[in-house]
Amino acid sequence: MITFMEKEIRSQSMVLKEPLMMNESLLNQIVKAYKDREINTIIYAARGSSDNAGVYFKYVIEINLGIPVSFSAPSIITIYSGKLSMKNTLVVGVSQSGEAEDVCIVLETAKKQGALTIGITNHMTSKLAKVSDFTLNLAVNKEISVAATKTYTAELVVLASLALKLCEQKNSTQRILDSIDLIQQITVNNGFISNTIDKFYKLKKVFVLGRGYVYGVAKELALKFQETSYIQAQAFATSDFYHGPLAMLDQNSLVILLVSDDHSYNDSIDLLERVKSITNNVIVITDKPNLECKDKIVIPKTEEMLSPFLFAVACQMIALQLSLKNGFNPDKPRNLKKVTITK
């Protein structure tokens, strides 16, 4: 029987177009409000998969807009009663449920201090939607599987759309739509992905590596392994992996390396050769077809800034297959529920 997780992964080539159309007018209002303020800092508040989406947002904004993006530590406000100055700041809070209490408190506090606040959620009647100056709709219908798939990728899409609008890049909506159109080429490749995972699914020590735009996707894949297969997976930036974690690598390890054909490519290839000298258990996910690696999953090529959409879908399918091969139900991970409330 097909799982809800698989259904929701496969739906993305269609449902991810909806938030682009729905939010277009509001994004233009946000850009105007942004220009009217002397914004010099952006703060991002989220947890879990939504926090991983923020890693992507940070790269897009800092590379293309030149404004620093920091990640909120909600406990500074919620537990330690810290007083942060958030004047001249854009604060972006992201929660698929819109009920992440700590994220909402960050936005409420920022708004009182005169910050411009944006909420991003799949539930427009939620608390997050009510406390934000502007609320962008993920608009992907209800997500049933506990592990986030379409909501995570929708967050990438909406954050990319927001970032490109703020950067005043041309044809941003059409460029994102063109990338979404490529997703179906990945979801029809399910059999090949399943056969690749067959060789490695019994390994319980997994390292997921990536750099730049795809680093956040590496973090998300490690989280998906933890949630749906109960594996002690860890994610690292390729540059950080040399600084200590490399010592943990042995023949019982699985390395999944995200290699994007972009500015980070040469660095990724250097690490690939180093890893292959230690273990044969390596899977490469790449948009460069002629990359030499015995076990690789090739995804379609799009512009480097938008490639994480495609890497994310491939990673979700890998996590799904690994969970199923280990005999687990990825829709209902043990000890977890769909909405998690933390302070």
Side-chain angles (χ1 to χ4, degrees):
M1 185 178 72
I2 189 170
T3 64
F4 285 112
M5 184 178 179
E6 182 171 350
K7 289 179 182 178
E8 288 163 353
I9 292 171
R10 291 184 178 279
S11 73
Q12 292 178 108
S13 59
M14 293 301 298
V15 300
L16 292 179
K17 297 178 180 180
E18 185 64 22
L20 279 177
M21 303 297 101
M22 182 172 291
N23 293 315
E24 182 77 17
S25 176
L26 187 59
L27 282 166
N28 292 331
Q29 295 178 45
I30 290 173
V31 171
K32 184 179 184 304
Y34 173 86
K35 288 181 176 179
D36 290 341
R37 312 281 188 104
E38 295 180 1
I39 302 294
N40 52 33
T41 304
I42 297 175
I43 294 176
Y44 186 93
R47 295 288 192 191
S49 292
S50 300
D51 198 51
N52 293 336
V55 177
Y56 167 68
F57 181 65
K58 177 180 176 69
Y59 276 93
V60 177
I61 287 290
E62 293 190 352
I63 291 170
N64 297 280
L65 193 60
I67 289 181
V69 177
S70 68
F71 285 80
S72 172
S75 59
I76 290 173
I77 298 170
T78 61
I79 295 178
Y80 297 101
S81 301
K83 306 297 181 183
L84 294 176
S85 174
M86 288 185 267
K87 186 180 179 182
N88 304 121
T89 300
L90 168 63
V91 181
V92 180
V94 184
S95 165
Q96 68 86 18
S97 70
E99 300 300 334
E101 188 171 349
D102 43 7
V103 174
C104 291
I105 290 172
V106 170
L107 264 68
E108 286 177 318
T109 303
K111 193 172 181 179
K112 289 176 183 177
Q113 295 184 7
L116 177 64
T117 59
I118 299 173
I120 300 176
T121 183
N122 201 37
H123 296 271
M124 295 301 284
T125 59
S126 63
K127 183 176 181 180
L128 180 63
K130 293 173 183 176
V131 302
S132 305
D133 292 317
F134 298 97
T135 306
L136 295 170
N137 193 348
L138 295 177
V140 291
N141 301 318
K142 184 178 180 179
E143 187 173 64
I144 298 174
S145 182
V146 170
T149 54
K150 64 181 181 179
T151 54
Y152 169 74
T153 318
E155 288 170 356
L156 297 183
V157 167
V158 171
L159 288 166
S161 186
L162 170 62
L164 294 181
K165 290 285 188 182
L166 293 177
C167 298
E168 299 184 283
Q169 292 208 7
K170 295 180 180 179
N171 304 317
S172 59
T173 299
Q174 187 58 53
R175 288 159 57 194
I176 294 173
L177 285 171
D178 290 344
S179 295
I180 292 172
D181 281 337
L182 299 172
I183 287 175
Q184 191 171 8
Q185 296 181 36
I186 302 172
T187 55
V188 298
N189 209 17
N190 188 52
F192 179 79
I193 292 174
S194 178
N195 290 338
T196 302
I197 295 300
D198 264 338
K199 305 175 187 178
F200 305 108
Y201 76 93
K202 293 183 179 180
L203 296 171
K204 301 303 179 185
K205 186 166 64 171
V206 181
F207 301 97
V208 189
L209 312 176
R211 192 170 190 182
Y213 288 120
V214 299
Y215 173 46
V217 180
K219 290 171 66 69
E220 177 64 11
L221 178 55
L223 176 60
K224 285 290 160 285
F225 284 154
Q226 294 163 9
E227 290 176 320
T228 62
S229 290
Y230 321 131
I231 288 173
Q232 296 183 28
Q234 298 181 71
F236 297 95
T238 56
S239 51
D240 286 333
F241 196 62
Y242 291 104
H243 294 270
L246 187 65
M248 295 189 290
L249 197 59
D250 58 29
Q251 279 293 334
N252 296 313
S253 308
L254 170 62
V255 175
I256 300 181
L257 180 60
L258 280 57
V259 181
S260 181
D261 186 15
D262 64 10
H263 289 75
S264 67
Y265 180 78
N266 290 335
D267 177 74
S268 297
I269 294 302
D270 289 343
L271 181 59
L272 175 61
E273 295 306 314
R274 183 73 179 93
V275 166
K276 285 163 64 176
S277 71
I278 301 171
T279 178
N280 296 319
N281 303 322
V282 182
I283 298 175
V284 169
I285 307 170
T286 185
D287 54 4
K288 194 173 180 68
N290 61 353
L291 185 155
E292 292 187 10
C293 184
K294 182 175 65 174
D295 295 292
K296 67 181 179 181
I297 295 169
V298 179
I299 63 173
K301 175 73 174 159
T302 189
E303 60 178 286
E304 63 177 343
M305 193 190 311
L306 304 180
S307 66
F309 307 163
L310 306 181
F311 276 92
V313 175
C315 287
Q316 290 165 5
M317 296 193 71
I318 289 172
L320 169 69
Q321 289 302 320
L322 191 70
S323 180
L324 293 174
K325 289 180 187 299
N326 277 295
F328 302 125
N329 180 356
D331 290 338
K332 297 180 179 180
R334 67 191 184 200
N335 305 327
L336 300 179
K337 54 185 178 180
K338 186 62 180 174
V339 179
T340 302
I341 306 298
T342 57
K343 288 187 179 181

